[in-house]
Coordinates of all heavy atoms in Angstrom, one line a residue:
D14 N -69.6 -5.0 -20.6 CA -69.2 -5.6 -21.8 C -67.9 -5.0 -22.4 O -67.4 -5.7 -23.2 CB -70.3 -5.6 -22.8 CG -71.4 -6.7 -22.5 OD1 -71.1 -7.6 -21.8 OD2 -72.4 -6.5 -23.1
S15 N -67.6 -3.9 -21.9 CA -66.4 -3.2 -22.5 C -65.2 -4.0 -22.3 O -65.0 -4.8 -21.3 CB -66.3 -1.8 -22.0 OG -65.7 -1.7 -20.7
S16 N -64.2 -3.9 -23.2 CA -62.9 -4.7 -23.0 C -62.0 -4.0 -22.0 O -60.9 -4.5 -21.8 CB -62.2 -4.8 -24.4 OG -61.9 -3.6 -24.9
D17 N -62.4 -2.9 -21.4 CA -61.6 -2.1 -20.5 C -62.0 -2.3 -19.1 O -61.8 -1.4 -18.4 CB -61.5 -0.7 -21.0 CG -60.5 0.1 -20.3 OD1 -59.4 -0.5 -20.0 OD2 -60.7 1.2 -19.8
N18 N -62.5 -3.5 -18.8 CA -62.8 -3.6 -17.4 C -61.9 -4.6 -16.7 O -61.3 -5.4 -17.5 CB -64.3 -4.1 -17.1 CG -64.7 -5.5 -17.6 OD1 -63.8 -6.3 -17.6 ND2 -65.9 -5.6 -18.0
K19 N -61.8 -4.6 -15.4 CA -60.7 -5.4 -14.7 C -60.9 -7.0 -15.0 O -59.8 -7.6 -15.2 CB -60.8 -5.1 -13.2 CG -59.7 -5.6 -12.4 CD -59.9 -5.5 -10.9 CE -59.9 -4.0 -10.5 NZ -59.9 -3.9 -9.0
L20 N -62.1 -7.4 -14.9 CA -62.3 -8.8 -15.0 C -62.0 -9.3 -16.5 O -61.2 -10.4 -16.6 CB -63.8 -9.1 -14.8 CG -64.1 -10.7 -14.7 CD1 -63.4 -11.4 -13.9 CD2 -65.6 -10.8 -14.5
R21 N -62.3 -8.5 -17.5 CA -61.9 -8.8 -18.9 C -60.5 -8.9 -19.1 O -59.9 -9.7 -19.7 CB -62.6 -7.8 -19.8 CG -62.4 -8.0 -21.2 CD -63.3 -9.2 -21.8 NE -64.6 -9.0 -21.4 CZ -65.7 -9.1 -22.2 NH1 -65.5 -9.5 -23.4 NH2 -66.9 -9.0 -21.8
R22 N -59.7 -7.8 -18.5 CA -58.3 -7.8 -18.6 C -57.6 -9.1 -17.8 O -56.8 -9.7 -18.4 CB -57.7 -6.5 -18.1 CG -58.0 -5.4 -18.9 CD -57.3 -4.1 -18.5 NE -57.4 -3.7 -17.1 CZ -58.2 -2.8 -16.6 NH1 -58.9 -2.1 -17.5 NH2 -58.3 -2.6 -15.3
A23 N -58.1 -9.4 -16.7 CA -57.7 -10.6 -16.0 C -57.9 -11.9 -16.9 O -56.9 -12.7 -16.9 CB -58.3 -10.8 -14.6
L24 N -59.0 -12.0 -17.5 CA -59.2 -13.2 -18.3 C -58.3 -13.2 -19.5 O -57.8 -14.3 -19.9 CB -60.8 -13.1 -18.7 CG -61.2 -14.4 -19.4 CD1 -61.1 -15.6 -18.5 CD2 -62.6 -14.2 -19.9
D25 N -58.1 -12.0 -20.1 CA -57.1 -12.0 -21.2 C -55.7 -12.4 -20.8 O -55.0 -13.1 -21.5 CB -57.1 -10.5 -21.8 CG -58.3 -10.2 -22.6 OD1 -59.1 -11.2 -22.9 OD2 -58.6 -9.1 -22.8
V26 N -55.3 -12.1 -19.6 CA -54.0 -12.4 -19.0 C -54.0 -13.9 -18.9 O -53.0 -14.6 -19.2 CB -53.7 -11.7 -17.8 CG1 -52.4 -12.2 -17.1 CG2 -53.5 -10.2 -17.9
W27 N -55.0 -14.5 -18.3 CA -55.1 -16.0 -18.2 C -55.0 -16.6 -19.5 O -54.3 -17.7 -19.6 CB -56.4 -16.4 -17.5 CG -56.4 -16.4 -16.0 CD1 -56.6 -15.6 -15.0 CD2 -55.8 -17.5 -15.3 NE1 -56.4 -16.0 -13.8 CE2 -55.8 -17.3 -13.9 CE3 -55.3 -18.8 -15.6 CZ2 -55.4 -18.1 -12.9 CZ3 -54.9 -19.7 -14.6 CH2 -54.9 -19.2 -13.3
H28 N -55.7 -16.2 -20.5 CA -55.7 -16.8 -21.8 C -54.2 -16.8 -22.4 O -53.8 -17.7 -22.9 CB -56.6 -16.1 -22.7 CG -58.0 -16.5 -22.5 ND1 -59.1 -15.7 -23.0 CD2 -58.6 -17.5 -21.9 CE1 -60.2 -16.3 -22.7 NE2 -60.0 -17.4 -22.0
T29 N -53.5 -15.8 -22.2 CA -52.2 -15.6 -22.7 C -51.3 -16.5 -22.0 O -50.5 -17.2 -22.7 CB -51.6 -14.1 -22.5 OG1 -52.6 -13.1 -23.1 CG2 -50.3 -14.0 -23.1
K30 N -51.5 -16.7 -20.7 CA -50.6 -17.6 -19.9 C -51.0 -19.0 -20.4 O -50.1 -19.9 -20.5 CB -50.8 -17.5 -18.4 CG -50.1 -16.2 -17.9 CD -50.4 -16.1 -16.4 CE -49.8 -14.8 -15.9 NZ -50.0 -14.6 -14.5
L31 N -52.3 -19.4 -20.5 CA -52.6 -20.7 -20.8 C -52.2 -21.1 -22.3 O -52.0 -22.2 -22.5 CB -54.2 -20.9 -20.7 CG -54.6 -20.9 -19.3 CD1 -56.2 -20.7 -19.2 CD2 -54.2 -22.1 -18.5
D32 N -52.1 -20.1 -23.2 CA -51.7 -20.5 -24.5 C -50.1 -20.9 -24.6 O -49.8 -21.6 -25.6 CB -51.8 -19.2 -25.4 CG -53.4 -18.9 -25.7 OD1 -54.2 -19.9 -25.6 OD2 -53.6 -17.9 -26.1
T33 N -49.4 -20.5 -23.6 CA -48.1 -21.0 -23.5 C -47.9 -22.5 -23.0 O -46.9 -23.1 -23.2 CB -47.2 -20.1 -22.7 OG1 -47.7 -20.2 -21.3 CG2 -47.2 -18.7 -23.2
V34 N -49.0 -22.9 -22.3 CA -49.0 -24.3 -21.8 C -49.7 -25.2 -22.8 O -50.7 -25.0 -23.2 CB -49.7 -24.4 -20.4 CG1 -49.7 -25.7 -19.8 CG2 -49.0 -23.4 -19.4
P35 N -48.9 -26.4 -23.0 CA -49.6 -27.3 -24.0 C -50.9 -27.9 -23.4 O -50.9 -28.5 -22.3 CB -48.6 -28.4 -24.2 CG -47.3 -27.9 -23.8 CD -47.6 -26.8 -22.8
G36 N -52.0 -27.7 -24.1 CA -53.3 -28.2 -23.5 C -53.9 -27.3 -22.6 O -55.0 -27.6 -22.0
G37 N -53.3 -26.1 -22.2 CA -53.7 -25.3 -21.2 C -55.1 -24.6 -21.5 O -56.1 -24.7 -20.6
R38 N -55.4 -24.3 -22.7 CA -56.6 -23.6 -23.1 C -57.8 -24.7 -23.1 O -58.8 -24.3 -22.6 CB -56.5 -23.0 -24.5 CG -57.7 -22.3 -24.9 CD -58.1 -21.0 -24.1 NE -57.2 -19.8 -24.4 CZ -57.6 -18.9 -25.2 NH1 -58.9 -18.8 -25.6 NH2 -56.9 -17.9 -25.5
A39 N -57.5 -25.9 -23.5 CA -58.4 -26.9 -23.5 C -58.9 -27.2 -22.1 O -60.1 -27.4 -21.7 CB -58.0 -28.1 -24.3
A40 N -57.9 -27.4 -21.2 CA -58.1 -27.6 -19.8 C -59.0 -26.6 -19.2 O -59.9 -26.8 -18.4 CB -56.8 -27.8 -19.1
F41 N -58.7 -25.3 -19.5 CA -59.4 -24.2 -19.0 C -60.9 -24.2 -19.5 O -61.8 -23.9 -18.7 CB -58.7 -22.8 -19.4 CG -59.5 -21.6 -18.8 CD1 -59.3 -21.3 -17.5 CD2 -60.0 -20.7 -19.6 CE1 -59.9 -20.3 -16.9 CE2 -60.6 -19.6 -19.1 CZ -60.5 -19.3 -17.7
K42 N -61.1 -24.6 -20.8 CA -62.4 -24.7 -21.3 C -63.2 -25.8 -20.5 O -64.4 -25.6 -20.2 CB -62.4 -25.0 -22.7 CG -62.4 -23.8 -23.6 CD -62.6 -24.1 -25.0 CE -63.1 -22.8 -25.7 NZ -63.7 -23.0 -27.1
V43 N -62.6 -26.8 -20.2 CA -63.2 -28.0 -19.5 C -63.6 -27.4 -18.1 O -64.8 -27.7 -17.6 CB -62.3 -29.2 -19.4 CG1 -62.9 -30.2 -18.4 CG2 -62.1 -30.0 -20.7
V44 N -62.7 -26.7 -17.4 CA -63.0 -26.2 -16.1 C -64.2 -25.2 -16.1 O -65.1 -25.3 -15.4 CB -61.7 -25.5 -15.4 CG1 -62.1 -24.7 -14.2 CG2 -60.6 -26.6 -15.2
V45 N -64.2 -24.3 -17.1 CA -65.3 -23.5 -17.3 C -66.5 -24.1 -17.6 O -67.7 -23.8 -17.1 CB -64.9 -22.4 -18.4 CG1 -66.2 -21.6 -18.9 CG2 -63.9 -21.4 -18.0
A46 N -66.5 -25.2 -18.4 CA -67.7 -25.9 -18.7 C -68.4 -26.6 -17.5 O -69.5 -26.6 -17.3 CB -67.4 -27.0 -19.8
V47 N -67.4 -27.1 -16.6 CA -67.9 -27.9 -15.5 C -68.5 -27.0 -14.4 O -69.6 -27.1 -13.9 CB -66.7 -28.7 -14.8 CG1 -67.1 -29.3 -13.5 CG2 -66.3 -30.0 -15.8
V48 N -67.6 -25.8 -14.2 CA -68.2 -24.9 -13.2 C -69.3 -24.2 -13.7 O -70.4 -24.1 -12.9 CB -67.1 -23.8 -12.9 CG1 -67.5 -22.7 -12.0 CG2 -65.9 -24.5 -12.2
G49 N -69.5 -23.7 -14.9 CA -70.7 -23.0 -15.4 C -71.9 -24.0 -15.5 O -73.0 -23.5 -15.1
S50 N -71.7 -25.3 -15.9 CA -72.8 -26.1 -15.9 C -73.3 -26.4 -14.5 O -74.5 -26.5 -14.3 CB -72.4 -27.4 -16.6 OG -72.0 -27.2 -18.0
A51 N -72.4 -26.7 -13.6 CA -72.8 -26.9 -12.3 C -73.6 -25.8 -11.7 O -74.6 -26.0 -10.9 CB -71.6 -27.2 -11.4
T52 N -73.1 -24.6 -12.0 CA -73.8 -23.4 -11.4 C -75.3 -23.3 -12.0 O -76.3 -23.0 -11.3 CB -73.1 -22.1 -11.8 OG1 -71.7 -22.2 -11.3 CG2 -73.8 -20.9 -11.2
V53 N -75.4 -23.5 -13.3 CA -76.7 -23.6 -14.0 C -77.6 -24.6 -13.3 O -78.8 -24.4 -13.0 CB -76.6 -23.7 -15.5 CG1 -77.9 -23.9 -16.0 CG2 -76.0 -22.4 -16.1
L54 N -77.1 -25.8 -13.1 CA -77.8 -26.9 -12.5 C -78.3 -26.6 -11.1 O -79.3 -26.8 -10.7 CB -77.1 -28.2 -12.6 CG -76.8 -28.8 -14.0 CD1 -76.0 -30.1 -13.8 CD2 -78.1 -29.2 -14.6
V55 N -77.5 -25.8 -10.3 CA -77.8 -25.4 -9.0 C -78.8 -24.4 -9.1 O -79.8 -24.5 -8.3 CB -76.5 -24.9 -8.2 CG1 -77.0 -24.2 -6.9 CG2 -75.6 -26.0 -7.9

Side-chain angles (χ1 to χ4, degrees):
D14 279 343
S15 77
S16 61
D17 191 36
N18 67 34
K19 192 188 295 187
L20 184 60
R21 182 78 50 139
R22 287 192 307 262
L24 189 60
D25 289 341
V26 168
W27 267 99
H28 282 163
T29 304
K30 288 180 182 179
L31 289 171
D32 288 339
T33 62
V34 177
R38 183 66 80 102
F41 185 68
K42 274 193 159 194
V43 168
V44 169
V45 168
V47 169
V48 170
S50 298
T52 305
V53 169
L54 291 174
V55 167

